[in-house]
Each structure stands twice: as structure tokens, then as C-alpha cells.
Amino acid sequence: MTLSDIAPSLGFSPQEMTAIVLSLKVAGTATVFSLPIAVFAAYALARWRFPGHTALNALIHLPLVMPPVVTGFALLLLLGRKTPLGAFLAEYFGIVFAFRWTGAALAAAVMSFPLMIRPIRLSFESIDERLAQASRSLGANPLWTFFLVTLPLAAPGVIVGAILGFAKALGEFGATITFVSNIPGETQTIPSAIYSYTQTPDGDADALRLAAVSAAIAIGALVVSEILQKRADATRAGK
């Protein structure tokens, strides 16, 4: 059974269903690959003091204040097929980002990274450092202390960060369309499909359906993240 067979029963056209599935694929891939990096970066910003700390913090949050189109253009200049790095990755590793769904995932990951990292960092900062010190005094090395003590305590923030990152990646448009264009079946996610429908006659109803889907997923993600955050706060307060 294909998407074309399933779409009518759900009230969507095959093109709309393809955009929804691709959006979930892009957002999921962006979240899975960026989450470990976000955890490491959040821990570094929360616990370590090193030269360039402020600069790294500013760089991580730059996508929040910079126009998304600029971010997408920067990715195109860095990883386009004719750029040195893009050509190297394509020739020796077979990795292509420009005008592929993988590029959409990369753009979504870059744009969602600041939202993902903030709750994780706050979670690390709220953990009593004496717990890690006690673990190390009992013979655990720093790596084991991180995975067995610090990371489990920060788990609520990690989950919230992942949910917010997924929701942001799902709605990413500016950087994505600049970096990978708007190719149906390849890079056309929900926001790109909505844009296409608004540019065509009698496309408002289709755009409205996809907008409702996008809003429902985003609201659901925000509600879940808020519930988890309150539970985490209540747990810490109880301790």
C-alpha cells in the first residue's frame, strides 16, 4: 500500500501526504542527529569555562536572530555541489546536501539547534555539582559520572529540548527553501507545500489543511514539553 492509496482515506491528496511524511522524516532525522551534539554543547556551556565560551554561545544562538534565508544561503555556499567541501563529500563519501532531503534535514537541524540546546543547558545547570563530585570520590571516572549520574538527572530537559527541536524542524521554511529549493517528493515539506498552494489559484483549501496539520503537531509538541517541564520542576522542588 502506497501513500497514494492511503492519502484519500485521510482527506489528503497524494502530494499533501508526501509532504507530511517527508516533513516528519526531515524533522525526525534533524532531531536524532543534532540531539547528541546539543547535549554535549549544553553540558560544555553549563559546566566548563574556557576561552571563547561567550563566542560559542553566541554562535549557537545565531540562527535565532539571523534571517533564515541567510542561514540557508550560508549552507548553500558551504555545502553546494560546486563548493570545495560539497564536492569533496559528494565525490568521496557520496553525501549530497544541496537540493536533497538530507539538506532539508541539515537546514532544519541548524535552525532548531538553539531551541533544543536551551532547556538542556538549564537542566544541566540545575543539577547540584556535589552529586558528580560524590560519584567521582567513589571511584567513577568523569565519563561514567556523566552517563550514570548527570545525564539521567538532566533527562527531562533533554526530552523537552528534543521535542522543541522536532517542532521547530517540522516548521522550518526559510533556510530550507533557500538551501534545497521546493522540489515535490524530494524537498517539499509542509511549509514549502503551503507556500506553493498559496501561489496557485484555488489552493487556499489545500494550504489550510496542511496549516492545520502543522499547527496541531506544533501545539501538541509544546503542550507535551510544558507538561514534562512542570513535572521536572516539581520533582526538583520535592527534593
Side-chain angles (χ1 to χ4, degrees), residues 24-45:
L24 294 172
K25 178 181 178 181
V26 165
T29 302
T31 303
V32 167
F33 280 91
S34 60
L35 185 59
I37 303 173
V39 170
F40 174 78
Y43 183 81
L45 291 174

Side-chain angles (χ1 to χ4, degrees), residues 56-131:
L56 177 62
N57 187 49
L59 181 64
I60 288 173
H61 290 87
L62 190 59
L64 280 180
V65 295
M66 193 165 61
V69 173
V70 176
T71 302
F73 184 58
L75 289 173
L76 189 60
L77 291 178
L78 181 65
L79 295 169
R81 288 295 299 267
K82 295 184 179 180
T83 64
L85 181 57
F88 174 80
L89 291 175
E91 182 176 353
Y92 292 100
F93 298 98
I95 300 175
V96 178
F97 290 108
F99 308 109
R100 299 284 181 86
W101 77 268
T102 50
L106 177 62
V110 171
M111 294 302 299
S112 64
F113 195 74
L115 284 179
M116 180 182 290
I117 200 172
R118 183 158 183 79
I120 301 176
R121 178 182 177 180
L122 292 175
S123 215
F124 281 131
E125 289 176 343
S126 68
I127 298 172
D128 192 339
E129 179 63 21
R130 288 175 297 181
L131 295 173

Side-chain angles (χ1 to χ4, degrees), residues 157-239:
V158 174
I159 296 172
V160 170
I163 293 173
L164 290 178
F166 177 83
K168 171 61 177 175
L170 196 67
E172 167 50 34
F173 173 69
T176 301
I177 200 170
T178 305
F179 184 36
V180 298
S181 190
N182 183 13
I183 306 171
E186 179 65 34
T187 65
Q188 189 178 73
T189 56
I190 291 177
S192 302
I194 293 173
Y195 174 78
S196 296
Y197 284 131
T198 60
Q199 304 302 307
T200 57
D202 302 322
D204 290 348
D206 298 324
L208 185 59
R209 278 198 301 272
L210 288 179
V213 171
S214 181
I217 296 174
I219 291 172
L222 290 173
V223 169
V224 171
S225 68
E226 186 67 19
I227 292 172
L228 290 174
Q229 189 63 55
K230 286 183 178 180
R231 287 184 177 179
D233 292 342
T235 301
R236 284 194 291 266
K239 292 180 180 180

